[in-house]
Amino acid sequence: GGASCIGDRPTASSTSAPLLTTVMLRNIPLEYTRGMLVDLLIREGFAESFDLMYLPINFGSMQGFGYAFINSVSPGEAARLRAHFDGFASWEVESDHTCEVSWS
């Protein structure tokens, strides 16, 4: 038989690190733009660590929804990004928001 798409995704065993590369950042200040978030990632040492970032916005208010998805170039970089930004609160704008990060 031919190869099947089902089950072809690599999985991690219970003894190895997860192969996840995408994280979801929550509690991003609504005023944050895509450019501000990219600048933040670069400033915090992640310039070469991600290959995709999605920050949805409300086109009526031109504000974000408070979350973003970031795909890292490797599972190790994703874990580093997750550890760094979970609990992060040093935003460019005045905000009491504390970032929460989860796997996506």
Side-chain angles (χ1 to χ4, degrees):
S4 170
C5 291
I6 299 172
D8 287 349
R9 182 176 176 184
T11 58
S13 71
S14 60
T15 59
S16 66
L19 298 175
L20 303 171
T21 57
T22 305
V23 297
M24 180 181 191
L25 277 62
R26 293 186 182 94
N27 294 331
I28 297 169
L30 301 182
E31 300 84 2
Y32 255 60
T33 64
R34 181 186 185 283
M36 291 169 76
L37 188 55
V38 168
D39 289 346
L40 176 68
L41 291 167
I42 292 168
R43 189 173 57 252
E44 295 295 319
F46 294 91
E48 303 295 325
S49 299
F50 66 100
D51 55 11
L52 180 121
M53 191 272 300
Y54 173 62
L55 176 77
I57 65 164
N58 177 325
F59 288 104
S61 67
M62 296 309 290
Q63 289 193 324
F65 290 105
Y67 68 91
F69 292 96
I70 300 171
N71 189 68
S72 296
V73 297
S74 71
E77 285 301 297
R80 186 172 77 90
L81 190 143
R82 185 176 183 202
H84 181 83
F85 282 103
D86 197 44
F88 184 87
S90 298
W91 307 109
E92 286 182 47
V93 298
E94 178 117 6
S95 177
D96 293 331
H97 291 196
T98 301
C99 189
E100 296 176 16
V101 185
S102 60
W103 294 114
S104 177

